[in-house]
């Protein structure tokens, strides 16, 4: 039975109405990375960072998973050995029904207390105040996401590495492949003889190592490839 691993980025949620980071209309065109997605930016102005995250939380709350998320979840249900490694923090893979999800960059619904270290899901949005306070100790909370300059959660990264090494089919969907260490994973898969597929309307650095490229939006590409994946994982 073939092990299928999806590696996803912001592009998989684009058709759910959630903006990507880079490219036309991307968040980093309008907003400053160093102000909003670094620990230094947060400590300089936690209120501003939290306002931005709360705006994104509200957008995610209104969004629905799309067919790309859904077909990945369906394949997992039908085949079992199907995994999603995601750089996204929006939780849409889980809402579509995927259970085997590795989150490399955290989750926008999770908060972490800078005083007592409590980590929990907080779904209230809009939040009552910026920055919000810890329900355990009243300390300052931060979003439990990975910012630039911060290490990825070790357990998630190890699991992702392992899955990439052992994938038979590795499908890269909607990532620019520019942010490391996550962007290393397609190369790990390729070096270990996975069949690498890219689904992305634009060329990326990953295109050159892919065995097959679908220059399509995520939903279109997933609809196209789903029957073949279904056949392979049933082998
Ligand atoms: N379907 C598939 N791919 C799409 C679609 C779509 N409908 N729309 C856009 N894309 C592609 C773009 O061509 C681009 O290659 O999605 C990619 C989005 O790239 P980025 O915005 O760079 O997102 P991502 O690769 O997830 O970024 C990695 O950077 O700042 C961060 O931490 C953040 O996890 C994120 C990391």
């Amino acid at each position: 039975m073939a092990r299928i691993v999806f590696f996803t980025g912001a592009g998989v949620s684009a058709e759910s109405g959630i903006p990507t980071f880079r490219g036309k209309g991307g968040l980093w065109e309008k907003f400053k990375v160093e102000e909003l997605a670094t620990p230094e930016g947060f400590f300089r102005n936690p209120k501003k960072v939290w306002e931005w995250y709360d705006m994104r939380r509200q957008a995610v709350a209104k969004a629905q998973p799309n067919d790309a998320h859904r077909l990945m979840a369906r394949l997992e249900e039908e085949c079992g050995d199907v995994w999603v490694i995601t750089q996204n923090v929006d939780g849409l893979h889980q809402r579509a029904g995927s259970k085997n999800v590795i989150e490399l960059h955290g989750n926008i619904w999770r908060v972490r207390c800078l005083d007592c270290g409590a980590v929990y899901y907080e779904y209230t949005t809009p939040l009552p105040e910026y920055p919000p306070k810890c329900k355990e100790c009243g300390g300052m909370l931060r979003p439990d996401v990975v910012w630039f300059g911060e290490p990825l959660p070790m357990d998630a990264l190890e699991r992702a590495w392992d899955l990439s090494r052992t994938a038979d089919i590795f499908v890269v969907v909607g990532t620019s492949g520019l942010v490391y260490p996550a962007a290393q994973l397609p190369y790990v898969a390729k070096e270990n003889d996975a069949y690498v597929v890219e689904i992305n309307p634009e060329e990326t650095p990953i295109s050159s190592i892919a065995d097959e490229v679908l220059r399509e939006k995520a939903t279109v590409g997933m609809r196209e490839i789903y029957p073949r994946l279904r056949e392979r994982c049933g082998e």
Side-chain angles (χ1 to χ4, degrees):
M1 200 163 90
R3 166 170 283 178
I4 299 171
V5 177
F6 294 99
F7 174 53
T8 68
V12 79
S13 296
E15 289 163 89
S16 295
I18 298 173
T20 59
F21 295 96
R22 295 170 189 78
K24 219 171 86 231
L27 292 171
W28 297 147
E29 217 174 49
K30 263 198 289 184
F31 300 100
K32 291 205 173 100
V33 180
E34 60 280 12
E35 280 180 11
L36 298 169
T38 62
E40 295 78 15
F42 179 76
F43 287 110
R44 220 175 291 133
N45 196 342
K47 180 168 183 283
K48 181 173 184 173
V49 172
W50 264 114
E51 277 168 355
W52 189 66
Y53 271 89
D54 212 16
M55 176 190 86
R56 291 176 58 205
R57 285 159 61 102
Q58 287 171 60
V60 171
K62 285 193 203 103
Q64 295 300 326
N66 63 50
D67 270 1
H69 300 106
R70 283 194 208 102
L71 286 171
M72 292 176 201
R74 180 163 153 196
L75 211 58
E76 178 188 326
E77 197 177 296
E78 290 166 341
C79 301
D81 199 5
V82 176
W83 299 79
V84 177
I85 303 169
T86 189
Q87 298 164 86
N88 298 346
V89 296
D90 58 31
L92 287 184
H93 284 298
Q94 293 91 328
R95 275 172 57 196
S98 287
K99 294 188 182 66
N100 297 339
V101 182
I102 317 285
E103 292 179 323
L104 292 176
H105 293 165
N107 188 297
I108 201 163
W109 297 112
R110 213 164 46 223
V111 292
R112 183 172 1 131
C113 178
L114 292 165
D115 286 349
C116 73
V119 174
Y120 59 95
Y121 285 86
E122 170 54 74
Y123 291 101
T124 309
T125 188
L127 289 157
E129 58 182 332
Y130 306 122
K133 291 198 177 82
C134 176
K135 67 173 182 186
E136 304 290 338
C137 76
M140 180 158 74
L141 292 172
R142 61 163 281 175
D144 194 26
V145 299
V146 177
W147 285 324
F148 286 94
E150 294 188 315
L152 273 56
M154 193 50 93
D155 51 341
L157 189 58
E158 271 174 11
R159 194 82 189 95
W161 218 269
D162 230 45
L163 287 164
S164 304
R165 266 195 317 102
T166 53
D168 296 298
I169 306 174
F170 192 88
V171 189
V172 185
V173 188
T175 178
S176 57
L178 296 173
V179 176
Y180 281 78
Q184 189 65 36
L185 296 173
Y187 299 89
V188 172
K190 178 74 183 176
E191 277 159 20
N192 287 280
D193 300 325
Y195 184 78
V196 177
V197 183
E198 177 179 61
I199 303 177
N200 196 315
E202 308 278 337
E203 188 171 354
T204 76
I206 296 160
S207 308
S208 62
I209 63 149
D211 296 287
E212 183 177 342
V213 176
L214 302 176
R215 280 276 162 264
E216 307 277 6
K217 289 185 173 180
T219 57
V220 178
M222 276 303 297
R223 280 186 212 116
E224 192 174 320
I225 202 170
Y226 166 80
R228 275 197 287 145
L229 295 176
R230 178 72 185 81
E231 228 168 77
R232 282 296 312 274
C233 75
E235 273 171 5

